Amino acid sequence: MLAWIAGAALQLQQPTLWPVAANLACAAAGCSGVALALVSRWRTRHVLLCAALALTAFATTAWRAQQRLDGQLSPALESRNLLVTGSIDRMPQLAGDGVRFVFAVESATLDDRAVSLPRLLALSWSHTGDDGALAAPQVDLRAGQRWQLPLRLRRPHAAMNPHGFDGELRLFEQGFGATGSVRNTVAGPQPRRLDGGAWRPIERARQAVRDALLLRVGDARIAGVLAALAVGDQAAIARGDWDLFRDAGVAHLMSISGVHITMFAWLAGGVVAWGWRRSTRACLRWPAPHAGHAGGLLAAALYALLAGFGVPAQRTLLMLTAAVALRTRGVHWPWPLVLLAAAVVVTAADPWALLQAGFWLSFAAVGLLMASDPLQPDASPPGAMAQARAALRKQATATLGLAPLSLAFFHQVSLIGFVANLVAIPWVTLIVTPLSLAGVAVPWLWQTAAAATAALIALLQALTASPAAVWSAPAAPTWAIVAGLAAALLGLLPLPWRLRALALPLAAPLLLPAVTHPLPGRFELAVLDVGQGTAVLVRTRSHLLLYDTGPAYARDADAGQRIIVPLLHARGERRIDLLMLSHRDSDHVGGAASVRTALPVASWSTSLAEDHPLLAGVSTHRRCSAGQRWQWDGVAFEVLHPVEADYAAAGKPNALSCVLRVIDAAGRSALLTGDIEAAQEAALVARLGPALRSTLLLLPHHGSKTSSSDAFVDAVRPTVAIVQAGYRSRFGHPAPAVQARYLSRGIALVRSDRCGAWTWLDGAWQCAREARRRYWHWSEQPVAADEASARTPAQARR
């Protein structure tokens, strides 16, 4: 069984897929090896069988991957104005800036010509259109409805940063061949509701429950938590509440997770077995333990369906099905073997689950529950004191057992999680969740559930008030993670304490991994992939500067919360010595509030007005001004723009962008330019001339036509120019003429939408996309000749 998992895991490491012929050869060799091993009497037949199973898993996973890649959107159709007919496949999710939903395609046209699209699209429909008009029809979106929608699509593409979330893997695993948005314009085709629709009774029921719950419970925060527990709408939980639940170590309880469904099956199975024993005839037909197993599994399946039957729920249900099937057939395997069999079933159904944190956390959590034999509802209940001791032991086991995985995936572990879960697990599982589900039939019970949830949130807020509530650690190497898992295993096994003491040195590399910083006189530059916006890290031996904080993606999401803060935690950064915000545009300061909340900021340097909301309560702010200089660890920093007179002139925010130059002891330098335009470039050239020469240049204004004048490029003469711009930017950044201007001078041009995050240290650089390359990641593909006509009027103007 391990051989199958190993074969699938090996295939997931491929940067690119092998040719079809090679995969067919692997499949043929694997099937032949399995057949030969089953009929042979060789002593080595078990080795042959393992190798053949691994080869078969490798080939079948590769074949499925090729099918998904072949079904993705053609590059020639990206950013084109398409008219698409289809149905809403799942319950739409409400967001701060609109609504997101899955669209099942029936047909599509481009300029009245039929075109082929992927079967499933991940779409968004914003509150306001491209021209600012209110998009009213979206409030009527219901699962199963048929619509004809004007869409603009793109191939699956997401931010790519070191230690960052792999959004492209999630899109690939869920089968989305494209993402896009509904076009809200006065001119052109309008969204139109069509007659008929797809049969989506479960999704319609989920949406009806979600909408009724949000309407009935007055507090939107509490209603969002209840909606997540009742119907699996995790998007309804506010961002601040997710942070609270994560810090308290109870986030797993607020989504339909493996623990949730397993405990629900356990409780339901116990009830079914208890009722079954009340009937002699029923017990004669089928043993009560088997009835309890089947009843628990059926209840878990119904709950998973009501929760949307997402990938985590599917994995858990497959695990439970495998375990129940073995028990019902009288196969009494040890629980690790049962768990391994379930893992094989899950991996065969979804091999990409092996790369998801949820897979490992679900199996670990369910395994810990299985270790205490939760699928035996016929076990005689112990006394109250024994139950209490068992609960404490079980929670201690879960806390210790999941800590290494939490550190490996999220770089933090809750130190108050043991206490919080002792209260939260029974409170959420036995009170809040049952009341949330019962409220479907008796709506007034939602008020009781809301009161219980509010009480829990108040307790968690009190527990997490101390800064010592969470232990954060930098990202550790693989060997340290393995050592940490071994340490947890040593702590859990019933071994002598002398052996258990070895867990401490084994855990040390995971708890306190080594962090490397540049040598004195050197600096590291990390240009992050934040989409259409700017965020750059400058790291010296003992200081950190953050230049801009990226955009706000929606009302409840920004680059600070999604990208910058997780990256800083993974790097082991404890504070920011200087936060420089070049100017007030939202694509440069959108993540500042999240960064300020998550990490202490020693000093601020910005061109913002003193009454700007971001500066409220900041006592260490200094307005950036040309001539400001300082040194950190042998690295020189100098502000080149704006001059003091620029603040008195009424102009665009771009004109006040803080321009920063960083120079190491070897004379290598980086020039960070914000959104300065041609006029500011000319002033810099006139004032500094050849002194602008820099090794690295962050392109002004994301490569807009309004910047990167010939005189400025000639004065800077960088070796490498980096542009931060969103994929298929609606502004057309970087402009083709600007790209040509740099390339014609022999300057290497790096684009964040193609490179991902770009890091530089001592003259060596690396793209995150190349370092993390897997076959499901976006890559450049040849485009048909008519692709040039895909540019929008907004792109053409820039």
Side-chain angles (χ1 to χ4, degrees):
M1 289 189 288
L2 275 175
W4 183 276
I5 296 176
L10 183 62
Q11 193 280 331
L12 300 182
Q13 306 307 310
Q14 285 190 294
T16 57
L17 290 177
W18 287 350
V20 174
N23 288 323
L24 287 175
C26 286
C31 293
S32 300
V34 170
L36 183 60
L38 291 177
V39 300
S40 71
R41 296 181 178 275
W42 300 342
R43 293 182 178 180
T44 59
R45 63 181 181 276
H46 297 299
V47 176
L48 176 61
L49 180 61
C50 289
L53 284 173
L55 202 58
T56 304
F58 184 99
T60 55
T61 303
W63 177 80
R64 293 172 63 186
Q66 189 64 61
Q67 298 300 307
R68 296 196 180 196
L69 289 178
D70 291 342
Q72 289 187 348
L73 181 72
S74 166
L77 296 178
E78 287 189 284
S79 299
R80 306 298 295 267
N81 296 331
L82 303 169
L83 193 61
V84 184
T85 299
S87 59
I88 299 174
D89 192 66
R90 302 167 197 171
M91 176 181 71
Q93 292 189 324
L94 304 177
D97 58 341
V99 64
R100 296 181 177 88
F101 59 99
V102 177
F103 200 61
V105 175
E106 298 174 8
S107 62
T109 59
L110 170 65
D111 299 330
D112 297 325
R113 293 183 292 108
V115 294
S116 177
L117 294 184
R119 188 180 70 86
L120 288 180
L121 308 176
L123 300 180
S124 62
W125 193 342
S126 65
H127 283 310
T128 56
D130 299 336
D131 54 2
L134 183 65
Q138 64 170 294
V139 300
D140 297 326
L141 291 185
R142 295 287 184 272
Q145 289 178 344
R146 292 183 71 241
W147 283 79
Q148 186 180 71
L149 299 172
L151 301 179
R152 191 168 286 165
L153 302 177
R154 64 182 193 178
R155 293 161 58 205
H157 185 284
M160 185 65 64
N161 293 280
H163 313 295
F165 176 72
D166 193 343
E168 292 171 24
L169 173 60
R170 170 172 286 185
L171 292 170
F172 183 84
E173 183 186 18
Q174 295 183 354
F176 295 121
T179 63
S181 59
V182 179
R183 298 183 62 241
N184 302 320
T185 56
V186 175
Q190 300 297 304
R192 185 162 63 94
R193 169 80 185 278
L194 303 177
D195 294 333
W199 194 61
R200 298 286 188 273
I202 294 176
E203 292 299 319
R204 284 179 177 268
R206 292 180 65 224
Q207 188 169 0
V209 171
R210 192 270 310 275
D211 293 348
L213 198 156
L214 294 178
L215 186 63
R216 183 92 180 191
V217 179
D219 190 326
R221 286 183 58 198
I222 302 299
V225 175
L226 297 182
L229 293 173
V231 296
D233 187 9
Q234 298 180 32
I237 298 182
R239 186 183 73 182
D241 288 332
W242 274 125
D243 293 339
L244 172 66
F245 299 147
R246 184 182 64 250
D247 291 346
V250 300
H252 61 99
L253 294 174
M254 302 304 165
S255 59
I256 309 303
S257 63
V259 174
H260 234 117
I261 294 177
T262 301
M263 294 196 72
F264 191 81
W266 181 15
L267 293 172
V271 172
V272 171
W274 178 84
W276 202 267
R277 291 190 186 92
R278 308 280 79 78
S279 171
T280 303
R281 181 177 299 179
C283 289
L284 291 174
R285 287 181 175 272
W286 207 23
H290 292 178
H293 296 155
L297 182 62
L298 178 61
L302 293 174
Y303 185 31
L305 286 173
L306 181 62
F309 207 58
V311 174
Q314 295 174 28
R315 287 198 294 258
T316 304
L317 202 59
L318 285 171
M319 287 191 293
L320 291 175
T321 301
V324 168
L326 290 172
R327 288 289 180 84
T328 303
R329 293 180 61 86
V331 179
H332 296 286
W333 287 356
W335 70 263
L337 199 58
V338 173
L339 205 61
L340 181 59
V344 171
V345 173
V346 173
T347 304
D350 178 17
W352 300 280
L354 287 168
L355 299 176
Q356 301 284 6
F359 173 88
W360 300 101
L361 291 171
S362 293
F363 268 98
V366 173
L368 292 170
L369 287 176
M370 291 178 67
S372 59
D373 209 13
L375 283 176
Q376 289 194 18
D378 55 326
S380 56
M385 289 300 296
Q387 283 184 337
R389 286 194 298 270
L392 289 172
R393 184 172 58 253
K394 185 182 299 182
Q395 186 53 50
T397 299
T399 301
L400 181 61
L402 296 180
L405 291 175
S406 180
L407 282 170
F409 289 119
F410 310 119
H411 315 300
Q412 71 171 49
V413 62
S414 176
L415 298 181
I416 51 93
F418 176 79
V419 176
N421 277 282
L422 279 178
V423 177
I425 287 177
W427 194 262
V428 173
T429 305
L430 302 178
I431 298 176
V432 178
T433 300
L435 287 173
S436 300
L437 295 174
V440 176
V442 186
W444 64 263
L445 290 176
W446 281 331
Q447 303 294 341
T448 307
T453 303
L456 177 63
I457 288 178
L459 174 63
L460 297 179
Q461 288 173 335
L463 290 174
T464 57
S466 170
V470 177
W471 175 271
S472 297
T478 303
W479 67 266
I481 296 173
V482 173
L485 293 172
L489 187 61
L490 271 177
L492 292 174
L493 291 176
L495 298 172
W497 283 106
R498 286 176 298 177
L499 292 178
R500 290 189 180 189
L502 295 176
L504 294 177
L506 279 175
L510 180 60
L511 294 171
L512 298 167
V515 178
T516 58
H517 289 150
L519 295 173
R522 301 289 188 263
F523 71 89
E524 177 191 10
L525 189 79
V527 181
L528 306 186
D529 182 8
V530 294
Q532 185 66 32
T534 296
V536 181
L537 300 178
V538 182
R539 195 45 163 108
T540 67
R541 181 66 178 177
S542 57
H543 293 82
L544 174 68
L545 182 147
L546 175 58
Y547 182 89
D548 284 342
T549 58
Y553 303 120
R555 294 177 187 176
D556 57 350
D558 57 66
Q561 170 248 341
R562 287 189 177 180
I563 296 172
I564 300 173
V565 171
L567 176 59
L568 292 178
H569 285 161
R571 289 168 56 99
E573 305 290 359
R574 299 296 183 180
R575 76 169 201 165
I576 298 170
D577 294 284
L578 178 63
L579 175 57
M580 179 171 283
L581 301 179
S582 63
H583 62 298
R584 72 186 189 199
D585 283 0
S586 63
D587 58 333
H588 293 254
V589 303
S594 295
V595 170
R596 178 185 178 183
T597 301
L599 288 168
V601 178
S603 300
W604 294 61
S605 177
T606 79
S607 63
L608 306 180
E610 292 296 334
D611 60 350
H612 194 284
L614 283 173
L615 299 180
V618 176
S619 60
T620 57
H621 174 249
R622 181 172 67 163
R623 192 163 69 178
C624 66
S625 181
Q628 294 171 349
R629 297 180 179 87
W630 67 95
Q631 279 206 357
W632 285 343
D633 310 310
V635 177
F637 294 79
E638 181 181 6
V639 177
L640 305 183
H641 181 83
V643 298
E644 282 296 330
D646 291 331
Y647 286 101
K652 299 195 318 186
N654 290 354
L656 290 177
S657 292
C658 304
V659 176
L660 178 70
R661 182 164 58 184
V662 187
I663 308 174
D664 71 6
R668 293 170 295 202
S669 59
L671 188 62
L672 310 180
T673 57
D675 277 357
I676 61 171
E677 300 184 355
Q680 292 76 50
E681 292 176 352
L684 284 169
V685 172
R687 183 157 47 88
L688 299 172
L692 281 174
R693 177 78 171 93
S694 299
T695 311
L696 311 173
L697 171 67
L698 185 67
L699 256 66
H701 202 183
H702 315 287
S704 167
K705 285 183 178 180
T706 63
S707 304
S708 293
S709 58
D710 286 293
F712 180 77
V713 176
D714 289 334
V716 179
R717 289 184 296 141
T719 303
V720 183
I722 312 101
V723 55
Q724 287 182 295
Y727 179 64
R728 293 276 170 176
S729 166
R730 64 189 181 96
F731 302 109
H733 296 157
V738 171
Q739 296 184 71
R741 193 170 300 147
Y742 285 93
L743 295 174
S744 66
R745 290 165 168 80
I747 299 169
L749 186 66
V750 177
R751 296 176 48 165
S752 63
D753 59 336
R754 298 178 180 177
C755 166
W758 185 83
T759 55
W760 179 94
L761 177 63
D762 287 342
W765 66 79
Q766 185 179 64
C767 286
R769 283 197 175 273
E770 293 308 315
R772 301 181 62 185
R773 172 66 62 190
R774 294 294 183 269
Y775 57 80
W776 57 81
H777 289 151
W778 177 93
S779 61
E780 288 190 78
Q781 294 185 7
V783 182
D786 63 348
E787 173 65 6
S789 63
R791 296 177 67 215
T792 66
Q795 292 172 328
R797 287 194 299 270
R798 294 168 172 81

